[in-house]
Amino acid sequence: MSYQGKKNIPKITSDRLLIKGGRIVNDDQSFHADIYMEDGLIKQIGDNLIVPGGVKTIEANGKMVIPGGIDIHTHFQMPYRGTTTVDDFSQGTKAALAGGTTMIVDHVIPEPGSSLMESYDQWRQWADEKACCDYSLHVDITHWNDSVKQEVDNLIKEKGVNSFQVYMAYKDYYQMTNSELYEVFTFLAERGGIAQVHAENGEIIAEEQARMLQMGITGPEGHVLSRPEELEAEAVFRAITIASQTNCPLYVTRVMSKSAADIISQARKKGNVVFGEPITASLGTDGTHYWSKNWAKAASFVTSPPLSPDPTTPDYLNTLLSSGDLSVTGSAHCTFSVSQKAIGKDDFTQIPEGVNGVEERMSLIWDKAVTTGKMDENMFVAVTSTNAAKILNLYPRKGRIAVGSDADLVIWDTDSIRTITAKTHNSTAEYNVFEGMELRGAPLVVICQGKIILEDGNLHVTSGVGRFIPCSAFPDFAYKRVKARKQLAVLRAVPRGMYDGPVSEFSMSRGGTPSASARTSPTKQPVRNLHQSGFSLAGNPAPCGPPTPDDIPIRPAGRRIVVPPGGRSNITSLS
Amino acid sequence: MSTAGEEVPAFFKSMGSDSPARPRQKFCGMFCPVEGSSDSKTLDFDALSACRGGRSDGRVLFSPSPPSPSPPSAPPASYLSSDRLLIKGGKIVNDDQSFCADIYMEDGVIKQIGENLIVPGGVKTIDAHGRMLMPGGIDVHTRFQMPDRGMVSADDFYQGTKAALSGGTTMIIDHVVPEPGISLISSFEQWREWADSKSCCDYSLHVDITEWHKGIQEEMEALVKDHGVNSFLVYLAYKDIFQLTDAQVYEVFSVIRDLGAIAQVHAENGDIVAEEQRRILEQGITGPEGHVLSRPEEVEAEAVNRSVTVANQTNCPLYITKVMSKSAADVIAQARKKGTVVYGEPITASLGTDGSHYWSKNWAKAAAFVTSPPLSPDPTTPDYLNSLLSCGDLQVTGSAHCPFNTAQRAVGKDDFSLIPEGVNGTEERMSIIWDKCVVTGKMDENQFVAVTSTNAAKIFNLYPRKGRIAVGSDADLVLWDPDMTKIISAKSHNSTVEYNIFEGTEVRGGPLVVISQGKIVLEEGNLHTTEGSGRYVARKPFPDYVYKRIKARSRLAELRGVPRGLYDGPVCEVSVTPKAMTPASSAKTSPAKQPNQPVRNLHQSGFSLSGAQVDDNIPRRSTQRIVAPPGGRANITSLG
């Protein structure tokens, strides 16, 4: 890992940087070339580049140069019942950079009832002040009405947000009904957004939690016992059904279990536009620790959906990630200190949820998936960076090493081995869920916005340099297929003559009763005149409208008119 | 399995005729493999007394007391002089085997099975000429005389059971559909009254749960204990009317499991259906094709998947009514592979026809197919469902017979969502399945008996009284003619409706003679039914077929907490809003009865912030962060 440069601190004046002798790894191919960067952009790629003199040069010695990772799911500085997660945007992005991630996408979580736009501004302010790397934002939709709809529209059009998360869990709080999901998805499909779901069946969870607590199970094991993986799989299945009805691209955050992953891969085989996001924790560890005798350790694993107690889960998820059934990886980094977790010491439902993982994500996937031969380096780049950039419509600015792309690069050392521990990690949390794990593969040099951030094991971050990267609507990666399908999906009615045979009496409503709008809509009566003459029981042309109880007196209790005057009506004898 | 016929391999043919097998064959004639096995398969009527109990009040209306010599065990049954019947030379087909034997019946019960039976003189004798004699069909799903918005489905209990009998079905199980707000028991009694006065064959009743509160739970208990109901249907569709939420379904299932009943589910996602209906009406699609467009099969599969999940959580046996699509059937098959106790019921319509007719130009014809979940427009669906039925992934068949005549359907002539739902099928069920499955070689005659009769009897705890030909079983039999062909048509069917959804289908196989309650009901094409002769058959809870596994699992499923010391480290302060779930009041209060705090005393001494006991966390002053508490770190964080 030698580099030919002055030993100056890279908080540098010179914005120019040359990486020589690296092997560039994109998601489609790898090749040897030098990279020249200037002003945070990649300016040239090739051999024997002509560059200005005095440029700082890094000698890669044939090591891999990959696009910086994109962590598509973080919760830095998340407010929680008056406290905040321990890693703020500065600490969090620092940890991210240390692990080779040069961009994060955080979730804005508006309290139910509050304005999406205000929450968005609040998050922007926090992140702009503190973030050390570029960032973008998802916005969570925690309640649904017309004003929220308007705000979503504005966020998409003006604020650079193209992904919105809805919750199927957290009953009476964030949870949405199926009808609301349907409406949200319909709206997002119109406006070109990505629908993200937190997929768990909140109703059943609430019931199970009550049952666990009644049985006297109050420790963190109750968390996983009350959220069995079936509930996750069920919700994924339901979300896919709704998304497919509304023709909306779906993104399932935090795929934690085999069965949920299976459902996603099945749906993809059937052609649904759905993306699955396993997180560092589900790829790297399992839920057996919930039964740890050490309460604080057990509590540090609490996240939702929970880690699966099945120890073969991480391996399985890594396999699906390698085969492309799962598309992107995040960390869902959302750390709480032990004393914060202890809010739920007597009741697991009160334990704040979240695990670490932003720093470990790249190394962990390399170790679990690439060194085991499940995926190659190109696929590694795809799942850690490129696919995320495509879904967010940031490609090729992010997620690719190409001329014109942002100079977010990582020189990856495939041989480095380090042991993960809370003692050395960059997060402020006391526990690390990957404690003691030995991982192969780590970033040697991290370049973010054209500046060297990690070099020689030293991290040089600057709070507040991170820029907000707006994401535009209708990402091709998701919407090309959706658009084509929309054109095909036009439904057509069967042109029939009007039914003018006898109509039975009926009282109050049953069956679908799709509310007022439905009752009034069927007002098209195209071919009425043609056939009406044959039947003259009631002289007024009104009864073809939606039958209401008022119609009935006109037709004298016409219960059964088997042979109406003028012969059988046309409509029943056409075929 | 078959002892007759030329085409059987030699080693089968020799069974029962060669010397080694012969004595056993002769001994009992029906359960060849093990001597005396008939004892265990014969009814213990004392044990089934609850079943018999329903009969006396079921027949108040018609029967004068019987003149015939009354047998010791069975209560009096008939008012015809000849209660005795002998069927000679038939091939008896049960779900496990077929064999040739004669059957002698008396008082509506099978008395003897075997060769060269000793019977009283002058008994009416039917010669079966080697034809198959099978247990009468059980149609597990009918909706005769069902009220819907002031209308009543076109076939009442008389017409409906008559149609059933003419098709070889000798027992039906109807659904009681209480209007939300009406007591389950009074609805149940209403249905009993209707059925007792009109039914021509034995019947039983499922009760639908159309709303959920405490009172319903008590009524369910009463129905199970006193009224012989062991199955309840919940609706995941019909938003704002019958539909229950997931949480309610969870509670209903828990109650059902405790009562030992079967949870039936109408599986469709009502929320999505309502949204789709609105969308499609907005697009100006008002005809019956809108019905199927607004209820795509995914929505059915989703609901099946969800109910399987809830049933797994509650360890409750699940029964999916009306499996109409491939994907729903697949979900059931997968769940069974994973070990879920779930049963799937395809209906005559989904096995025999498809949903392409919704696009018929003839409105009345299209409307005649309207049922929920809808018939799948995929024309390969019936074949697929028949295959799954044959391999055992689906177990029972019903008809969901609930036809409305065209004038009634026309209520929805301008809005498909108002069309009353239901198709015919009780008469055609046996023949359709024979034609689609047995004739095509998908299943054999034994499996045919299983899916049309035996499995239903087992699931609903009627076995072996119903669903089997054995000594002591009810004399509900069908002499089946596999060569009979007939063309189904509304002109000749027994239902009162103008359209038959199987119109023009040519089916092979049909009943030649139907015997219900020991009396010949169909013979030489003539139907002799008696209105009101049907008895209510009560069903006991905890059917073995279903609950053996459930019981074993509930013993295993006990959950245990991890015994830990009390966490007594620093606790962060919390502001007002309780987070997310808040599992109601019950949850909040329960952690007080923490059972085990074993090691408390050992370590407590090290930490003396407050001398209080278990609940010292509550009054503690607002200790934000005690990173290094006096006496060092708390034990709990350093144990493991």
Side-chain angles (χ1 to χ4, degrees):
Chain A
M1 54 161 263
S2 67
Y3 53 93
Q4 302 177 332
K6 330 286 174 276
K7 305 243 162 23
N8 59 349
I9 307 137
K11 238 180 235 172
I12 25 171
T13 50
S14 107
D15 255 5
R16 299 166 177 177
L17 204 56
L18 178 69
I19 300 178
K20 277 185 85 76
R23 189 154 68 98
I24 297 176
V25 180
N26 274 324
D27 68 321
D28 52 349
Q29 60 173 351
S30 314
F31 55 95
H32 289 275
D34 301 342
I35 305 174
Y36 172 67
M37 292 160 265
E38 202 179 299
D39 301 322
L41 293 180
I42 295 171
K43 291 289 180 188
Q44 297 178 53
I45 293 176
D47 298 323
N48 309 317
L49 300 179
I50 300 159
V51 297
V55 162
K56 177 169 167 67
T57 305
I58 300 174
E59 187 63 59
N61 283 334
K63 288 207 163 64
M64 285 191 281
V65 182
I66 60 175
I70 299 176
D71 189 337
I72 198 164
H73 187 162
T74 65
H75 292 278
F76 296 146
Q77 214 167 331
M78 186 184 82
Y80 174 76
R81 294 165 78 184
T83 68
T84 322
T85 54
V86 290
D87 289 327
D88 61 10
F89 275 96
S90 168
Q91 204 63 40
T93 51
K94 188 177 154 194
L97 287 166
T101 296
T102 57
M103 175 173 180
I104 58 115
V105 190
D106 206 77
H107 277 268
V108 176
I109 309 183
E111 280 297 307
S114 67
S115 149
L116 263 55
M117 199 58 85
E118 280 167 25
S119 306
Y120 168 84
D121 290 336
Q122 177 66 68
W123 254 262
R124 277 295 303 276
Q125 190 195 331
W126 286 335
D128 282 339
E129 273 169 21
K130 294 195 169 172
C132 313
C133 67
D134 289 351
Y135 72 96
S136 195
L137 294 172
H138 308 292
V139 175
D140 295 2
I141 300 178
T142 50
H143 62 294
W144 185 247
N145 53 36
D146 281 344
S147 77
V148 172
K149 198 169 173 176
Q150 191 55 48
E151 288 189 310
V152 169
D153 199 27
N154 289 343
L155 285 167
I156 293 176
K157 284 190 185 138
E158 294 157 20
K159 300 291 185 179
V161 175
N162 76 353
S163 44
F164 296 85
Q165 172 163 294
V166 292
Y167 291 85
M168 301 170 82
Y170 306 111
K171 191 180 178 187
D172 300 331
Y173 197 52
Y174 293 154
Q175 186 176 327
M176 295 223 174
T177 66
N178 292 335
S179 313
E180 286 169 332
L181 291 178
Y182 185 98
E183 284 173 24
V184 173
F185 286 13
T186 309
F187 186 70
L188 289 177
E190 263 169 42
R191 300 301 149 98
I194 307 277
Q196 301 189 311
V197 286
H198 176 113
E200 280 183 296
N201 188 318
E203 304 244 347
I204 304 179
I205 289 172
E207 297 279 344
E208 291 278 319
Q209 284 179 333
R211 188 167 72 93
M212 293 300 148
L213 289 171
Q214 263 164 23
M215 291 165 67
I217 298 176
T218 58
E221 69 276 12
H223 179 73
V224 63
L225 291 174
S226 63
R227 304 175 106 101
E229 71 175 74
E230 269 191 294
L231 302 191
E232 186 191 351
E234 188 281 315
V236 171
F237 195 108
R238 186 149 39 100
I240 288 171
T241 307
I242 299 175
S244 133
Q245 284 314 305
T246 53
N247 201 12
C248 177
L250 182 70
Y251 179 107
V252 180
T253 59
R254 297 200 244 201
V255 176
M256 305 299 278
S257 67
K258 285 185 180 181
S259 31
D262 276 342
I263 286 179
I264 292 171
S265 66
Q266 272 170 33
R268 287 174 67 88
K269 281 190 196 97
K270 285 188 199 151
N272 291 322
V273 182
V274 52
F275 307 103
E277 169 208 277
I279 65 170
T280 321
S282 62
L283 293 168
T285 183
D286 60 58
T288 52
H289 303 279
Y290 290 117
W291 280 267
S292 165
K293 292 270 189 186
N294 179 342
W295 188 92
K297 185 182 173 199
S300 71
F301 284 81
V302 168
T303 187
S304 286
L307 288 158
S308 167
D310 176 352
T312 60
T313 302
D315 193 55
Y316 191 81
L317 293 182
N318 277 298
T319 306
L320 289 194
L321 187 62
S322 310
S323 69
D325 282 349
L326 300 172
S327 317
V328 287
T329 54
S331 65
H333 190 90
C334 180
T335 46
F336 290 95
S337 68
V338 172
S339 68
Q340 286 173 322
K341 292 266 185 189
I343 291 167
K345 71 191 171 63
D346 298 319
D347 177 354
F348 64 84
T349 64
Q350 306 295 317
I351 301 174
E353 294 167 356
V355 291
N356 66 302
V358 71
E359 183 173 358
E360 298 80 4
R361 188 177 62 103
M362 305 273 284
S363 290
L364 195 125
I365 295 169
W366 186 271
D367 184 78
K368 299 277 176 188
V370 185
T371 58
T372 57
K374 283 182 199 285
M375 62 169 73
D376 58 23
E377 65 217 30
N378 304 96
M379 191 65 185
F380 174 73
V381 167
V383 300
T384 55
S385 176
T386 311
N387 289 350
K390 286 180 176 169
I391 290 172
L392 294 166
N393 221 356
L394 300 173
Y395 187 81
R397 178 176 176 189
K398 302 281 184 189
R400 184 167 188 89
I401 300 181
V403 174
S405 299
D406 279 1
D408 290 349
L409 302 177
V410 172
I411 299 181
W412 191 257
D413 183 359
T414 55
D415 303 322
S416 122
I417 296 179
R418 74 193 158 125
T419 304
I420 293 185
T421 166
K423 291 191 193 80
T424 57
H425 71 190
N426 283 286
S427 165
T428 38
E430 296 100 322
Y431 277 88
N432 188 313
V433 295
F434 310 102
E435 186 75 34
M437 209 175 272
E438 207 177 77
L439 298 183
R440 224 170 217 274
L444 195 65
V445 177
V446 175
I447 297 164
C448 181
Q449 301 180 358
K451 289 191 227 2
I452 299 173
I453 304 288
L454 176 77
E455 192 181 26
D456 259 349
N458 299 319
L459 209 52
H460 315 283
V461 297
T462 322
S463 273
V465 299
R467 301 165 298 184
F468 175 74
I469 311 284
C471 307
S472 52
F474 292 110
D476 272 355
F477 191 56
Y479 266 90
K480 267 189 190 156
R481 286 179 286 170
V482 169
K483 281 176 189 163
R485 287 173 199 189
K486 253 180 208 158
Q487 279 153 16
L488 283 180
V490 178
L491 300 174
R492 262 175 263 280
V494 176
R496 295 189 182 92
M498 290 296 299
Y499 174 88
D500 44 9
V503 177
S504 192
E505 280 173 52
F506 76 112
S507 60
M508 24 130 264
S509 57
R510 199 195 68 104
T513 62
S515 74
S517 63
R519 289 282 171 68
T520 53
S521 57
T523 41
K524 284 190 193 171
Q525 298 138 1
V527 286
R528 171 78 185 153
N529 318 2
L530 279 175
H531 305 287
Q532 196 191 355
S533 54
F535 180 54
S536 56
L537 227 188
N540 63 336
C544 57
T548 55
D550 315 281
D551 289 354
I552 292 154
I554 301 171
R555 219 167 259 182
R559 189 93 216 266
R560 281 214 187 190
I561 308 160
V562 181
V563 187
R568 278 283 195 153
S569 60
N570 69 303
I571 185 67
T572 48
S573 53
L574 254 182
S575 78
Chain B
M1 48 189 68
S2 114
T3 52
E6 295 303 312
E7 64 289 332
V8 273
F11 55 90
F12 271 128
K13 212 192 302 183
S14 63
M15 275 178 74
S17 55
D18 266 358
S19 50
R22 182 172 274 260
R24 283 190 273 175
Q25 175 79 357
K26 207 164 190 180
F27 173 75
C28 65
M30 63 176 301
F31 305 116
C32 326
V34 181
E35 283 186 14
S37 60
S38 59
D39 300 342
S40 62
K41 303 220 172 167
T42 303
L43 286 173
D44 175 4
F45 282 103
D46 297 331
L48 291 167
S49 54
C51 297
R52 294 272 155 179
R55 148 194 254 188
S56 49
D57 44 26
R59 304 206 50 243
V60 209
L61 283 163
F62 264 81
S63 66
S65 57
S68 63
S70 66
S73 57
S78 116
Y79 50 92
L80 282 182
S81 54
S82 107
D83 253 5
R84 298 166 179 176
L85 202 56
L86 176 68
I87 302 179
K88 279 183 84 78
K91 182 164 80 150
I92 296 176
V93 181
N94 274 323
D95 68 320
D96 52 351
Q97 61 172 356
S98 314
F99 55 91
C100 292
D102 301 344
I103 303 181
Y104 172 67
M105 292 159 263
E106 202 178 298
D107 299 320
V109 174
I110 297 173
K111 291 288 179 189
Q112 296 178 54
I113 295 175
E115 288 160 48
N116 309 318
L117 301 176
I118 299 158
V119 296
V123 163
K124 176 166 168 68
T125 304
I126 300 173
D127 201 325
H129 296 294
R131 289 214 176 82
M132 283 182 279
L133 196 56
M134 45 181 72
I138 299 176
D139 188 339
V140 285
H141 188 159
T142 65
R143 288 165 187 274
F144 297 146
Q145 216 167 328
M146 190 186 81
D148 179 5
R149 289 171 288 172
M151 303 180 288
V152 177
S153 68
D155 288 333
D156 63 9
F157 274 96
Y158 172 66
Q159 208 63 44
T161 50
K162 193 176 144 195
L165 285 168
S166 74
T169 296
T170 55
M171 175 171 184
I172 58 119
I173 310 184
D174 205 78
H175 277 270
V176 176
V177 191
E179 284 292 319
I182 308 247
S183 135
L184 295 189
I185 291 188
S186 63
S187 304
F188 172 81
E189 274 159 1
Q190 176 67 69
W191 254 260
R192 278 293 307 273
E193 194 187 315
W194 286 335
D196 282 340
S197 61
K198 294 197 168 170
S199 177
C200 313
C201 68
D202 287 355
Y203 73 96
S204 193
L205 294 172
H206 308 291
V207 177
D208 297 1
I209 308 287
T210 49
E211 61 181 337
W212 183 242
H213 50 76
K214 197 74 192 162
I216 299 279
Q217 182 175 343
E218 283 155 14
E219 288 195 300
M220 285 168 71
E221 275 176 47
L223 284 170
V224 170
K225 289 193 180 124
D226 308 330
H227 294 92
V229 173
N230 72 1
S231 47
F232 298 93
L233 175 74
V234 296
Y235 292 87
L236 298 179
Y238 304 112
K239 194 179 177 188
D240 301 331
I241 301 168
F242 294 156
Q243 187 175 331
L244 299 186
T245 66
D246 290 357
Q248 289 169 328
V249 171
Y250 182 99
E251 283 169 23
V252 175
F253 282 15
S254 304
V255 170
I256 287 177
R257 190 252 345 268
D258 292 342
L259 293 173
I262 316 283
Q264 299 189 308
V265 167
H266 176 111
E268 278 184 297
N269 188 319
D271 290 338
I272 304 183
V273 168
E275 296 280 346
E276 291 279 318
Q277 282 180 335
R278 194 167 59 219
R279 183 171 73 90
I280 284 173
L281 285 170
E282 269 165 17
Q283 290 184 18
I285 299 178
T286 59
E289 68 276 14
H291 178 74
V292 63
L293 291 174
S294 64
R295 294 169 175 264
E297 70 174 77
E298 271 188 293
V299 169
E300 185 191 352
E302 188 281 316
V304 171
N305 185 57
R306 186 148 40 99
S307 46
V308 165
T309 307
V310 180
N312 273 346
Q313 287 314 306
T314 51
N315 194 25
C316 175
L318 181 68
Y319 179 104
I320 308 286
T321 60
K322 301 203 234 189
V323 175
M324 305 299 278
S325 67
K326 285 184 181 183
S327 31
D330 279 341
V331 171
I332 294 171
Q334 273 171 31
R336 289 179 64 86
K337 282 191 195 96
K338 288 186 197 151
T340 309
V341 181
V342 55
Y343 304 97
E345 167 207 279
I347 63 170
T348 321
S350 62
L351 295 169
T353 183
D354 61 60
S356 52
H357 303 279
Y358 290 117
W359 281 266
S360 166
K361 291 269 189 186
N362 179 343
W363 188 91
K365 185 182 172 197
F369 285 80
V370 169
T371 186
S372 288
L375 288 157
S376 167
D378 177 352
T380 60
T381 302
D383 194 52
Y384 190 81
L385 294 182
N386 280 304
S387 298
L388 289 195
L389 187 63
S390 307
C391 76
D393 280 349
L394 301 172
Q395 296 75 34
V396 285
T397 52
S399 66
H401 189 89
C402 182
F404 289 89
N405 58 42
T406 302
Q408 291 173 321
R409 301 266 191 197
V411 160
K413 70 193 169 61
D414 299 315
D415 178 352
F416 63 84
S417 67
L418 300 175
I419 300 175
E421 294 167 357
V423 291
N424 65 299
T426 192
E427 182 172 357
E428 298 81 5
R429 188 176 63 103
M430 305 273 282
S431 291
I432 293 258
I433 296 169
W434 185 271
D435 184 73
K436 301 274 177 188
C437 294
V438 186
V439 173
T440 57
K442 284 184 200 282
M443 60 170 71
D444 58 26
E445 68 222 29
N446 303 94
Q447 176 75 1
F448 174 75
V449 168
V451 300
T452 54
S453 177
T454 310
N455 289 349
K458 285 178 176 171
I459 291 172
F460 295 111
N461 222 359
L462 299 165
Y463 189 82
R465 179 179 171 190
K466 302 281 185 190
R468 184 166 189 92
I469 299 181
V471 173
S473 299
D474 278 1
D476 288 350
L477 302 176
V478 174
L479 187 60
W480 192 258
D481 182 356
D483 302 320
M484 176 192 290
T485 56
K486 116 179 145 170
I487 295 174
I488 297 176
S489 165
K491 292 191 193 78
S492 55
H493 69 189
N494 283 286
S495 166
T496 49
V497 292
E498 302 96 323
Y499 278 88
N500 188 313
I501 57 168
F502 307 104
E503 187 74 36
T505 308
E506 190 177 333
V507 288
R508 232 166 201 273
L512 205 59
V513 177
V514 176
I515 296 163
S516 170
Q517 302 179 7
K519 283 183 277 299
I520 299 173
V521 176
L522 175 78
E523 195 182 21
E524 286 167 0
N526 299 319
L527 212 50
H528 315 284
T529 55
T530 318
E531 196 165 345
S533 61
R535 301 165 298 185
Y536 175 71
V537 182
R539 296 172 288 141
K540 296 214 295 186
F542 293 108
D544 268 356
Y545 188 64
V546 176
Y547 265 89
K548 270 186 190 156
R549 286 179 288 168
I550 297 285
K551 282 177 185 162
R553 287 174 199 189
S554 59
R555 281 196 292 271
L556 281 180
E558 273 174 37
L559 298 172
R560 264 175 265 276
V562 175
R564 294 189 184 92
L566 273 177
Y567 175 87
D568 44 9
V571 178
C572 200
E573 253 181 83
V574 187
S575 68
V576 278
T577 46
K579 204 197 66 175
M581 334 60 220
T582 64
S585 52
S586 62
K588 290 276 176 61
T589 52
S590 55
K593 49 176 177 178
Q594 238 176 358
N596 40 8
Q597 298 131 4
V599 287
R600 172 79 181 152
N601 316 4
L602 280 175
H603 307 286
Q604 199 191 352
S605 55
F607 180 54
S608 56
L609 230 186
S610 74
Q613 284 303 316
V614 191
D615 42 358
D616 52 4
N617 53 311
I618 298 155
R620 195 181 288 170
R621 64 205 156 98
S622 56
T623 52
Q624 251 275 61
R625 281 215 185 191
I626 308 160
V627 181
R633 277 283 194 154
N635 68 303
I636 186 69
T637 49
S638 50
L639 256 181

